[in-house]
Amino acid sequence: MRISEIYEKKSKTLSFEIFPPKKDRELENIDETLSVLCELKPDFISVTFGAGGSSNCNRTIELAKKIKYEYNVEPVVHLTCLSYDRAEIDEFSRVLNAEGIQNVLALRGDRNPNIEEKDDFKHASDLIAYLKAKNRFCIAGACYPECHPESENRVTEMMHLRGKVNAGAELLLSQLFFDNDCFFRFVEDCRIAGIFVPVIPGIMPVINAAQIKRMVTMCGASFPARFQKIIDRYEDNKDALFDAGMSYALSQIIDLLTSDIDGIHLYTMNNPTVARKICEGIRNVI
Ligand code: FAD
């Protein structure tokens, strides 16, 4: 099923993001995680894509197939384009079509000095337009409530985001953030800019301080004071950080759900306990 159809039918969705294991043999152990995640009945699960290298995309597709055919949940395959040419994207699309995978999150990908960039696709919108012209995928794009780190300002960022939607993105999945007001302002700006597709907030519960700091240095999300206090007080106390981080994420999600948003996309970090606890906390509100 195309996930755009899910958004047409449901007022609020719940979805998860997972990443493929680094080694092929670990793919066999992912069932433990998947069985818990899929029991929670997400509307879809998106599978990340490593930057560059065919073994990366193979593992992403293998995992997406598993989700679709063994667990009967709709997968969304992430696909980056900076280090691929048209022929490689065509081959990737061919495999997706052959496997019956209908949903793609089309991304530019981060710049990496160790991976060669090719000339065919400079921006995610180039990939979206290309995929759209040749396939029947439902295409999602990424968005950044606190601006992409390379953006000059919010106005040009919005123009480029509108370009992505005009090229064919049917929904937008957001970068993680910890301040809901940023997200609400961002959605308002999207609507003012004429972007009317669903904008789904990405939430990542904090369970590991080192990991979250790394993520935030990379993606530029700001820490509200209430959240910073949790990090400062509990970063050296694993169990306390888990409890406080889960509680913060839950309160963020409930605030989003009580506002007029289209769904929640949970960055699970392949941790089924986190996903289960979040789902238990919102069972009666979503
Ligand atoms: P773009 O939309 O191309 O934007 C990148 C920058 O270029 C922005 O500053 C934008 O304003 C600017 N820009 C866009 N269009 C134009 C234009 N026409 N002219 C000039 N400037 C322009 N990375 C991975 O490697 N694998 C993953 O699986 C992955 N999953 C992700 C999932 C989500 C939900 C998100 C939010 C990000 C994900 N990323 C992933 C990270 C993503 O690849 C990076 O953030 C990357 O730097 C930008 O990708 P993009 O698709 O947003 O790029």
Side-chain angles (χ1 to χ4, degrees):
M1 184 187 235
R2 295 161 63 83
I3 54 169
S4 52
E5 289 171 30
I6 301 174
Y7 286 100
E8 278 161 23
K9 287 190 187 134
K10 289 182 85 167
S11 63
K12 299 223 186 305
T13 58
L14 174 69
S15 53
F16 299 144
E17 178 186 287
I18 64 171
F19 53 83
K22 288 217 163 42
K23 298 189 180 108
D24 276 338
R25 68 185 141 81
E26 291 169 0
L27 201 54
E28 289 153 27
N29 302 333
I30 196 85
D31 282 299
E32 234 171 282
T33 303
L34 280 183
S35 57
V36 175
L37 293 184
C38 295
E39 254 174 41
L40 299 169
K41 304 211 180 312
D43 291 292
F44 64 89
I45 296 182
S46 81
V47 187
T48 67
F49 186 88
S54 61
S55 58
N56 273 317
C57 59
N58 288 345
R59 276 195 285 269
T60 297
I61 295 178
E62 282 312 305
L63 188 49
K65 276 166 55 185
K66 208 180 216 320
I67 292 167
K68 186 172 175 80
Y69 296 110
E70 291 178 34
Y71 292 91
N72 297 313
V73 172
E74 210 49 56
V76 173
V77 162
H78 297 204
L79 172 61
T80 64
C81 61
L82 211 48
S83 56
Y84 297 99
D85 59 25
R86 288 195 193 97
E88 288 167 303
I89 294 295
D90 285 345
E91 174 56 15
F92 194 82
S93 304
R94 189 194 62 73
V95 176
L96 289 183
N97 280 312
E99 301 297 354
I101 290 171
Q102 293 172 284
N103 303 294
V104 175
L105 172 58
L107 299 149
R108 186 198 71 179
D110 280 324
R111 297 191 189 290
N112 180 338
N114 301 318
I115 299 175
E116 187 203 345
E117 290 181 15
K118 297 194 177 165
D119 293 328
D120 286 350
F121 304 98
K122 298 281 180 216
H123 309 289
S125 51
D126 301 331
L127 176 64
I128 294 170
Y130 187 76
L131 290 174
K132 206 75 193 173
K134 297 186 119 193
N135 302 275
R136 296 199 62 251
F137 298 132
C138 168
I139 299 180
C143 65
Y144 303 83
E146 297 180 76
C147 262
H148 186 274
E150 289 171 34
S151 286
E152 283 165 36
N153 57 55
R154 288 165 64 92
V155 176
T156 50
E157 169 103 352
M158 260 315 146
M159 283 166 47
H160 296 144
L161 190 60
R162 200 175 58 190
K164 226 185 256 201
V165 172
N166 290 345
E170 293 175 59
L171 66 139
L172 298 169
L173 294 178
S174 99
Q175 179 61 282
L176 62 89
F177 60 90
F178 301 103
D179 182 347
N180 283 0
D181 286 341
C182 288
F183 182 78
F184 294 135
R185 261 196 310 275
F186 173 73
V187 176
E188 214 172 282
D189 288 349
C190 287
R191 303 316 182 212
I192 291 168
I195 297 169
F196 297 110
V197 298
V199 181
I200 314 302
I203 298 296
M204 182 161 140
V206 179
I207 51 161
N208 171 326
Q211 170 197 50
I212 202 73
K213 278 189 174 160
R214 203 169 56 239
M215 291 291 295
V216 168
T217 324
M218 279 163 58
C219 75
S222 57
F223 283 6
R226 193 163 70 85
F227 181 72
Q228 185 64 52
K229 275 165 75 179
I230 290 176
I231 302 274
D232 291 345
R233 176 156 293 228
Y234 300 124
E235 68 182 322
D236 297 324
N237 182 337
K238 200 163 148 272
D239 295 336
L241 179 62
F242 184 90
D243 287 350
M246 290 299 293
S247 162
Y248 188 89
L250 262 175
S251 71
Q252 238 193 313
I253 290 171
I254 286 169
D255 182 42
L256 288 160
L257 287 173
T258 51
S259 309
D260 200 12
I261 57 106
D262 300 300
I264 299 288
H265 189 59
L266 194 66
Y267 290 101
T268 70
M269 303 304 288
N270 290 17
N271 186 324
T273 310
V274 167
R276 194 204 297 272
K277 278 189 180 289
I278 293 286
C279 290
E280 280 167 6
I282 59 172
R283 193 182 308 131
N284 299 312
V285 275
I286 196 159

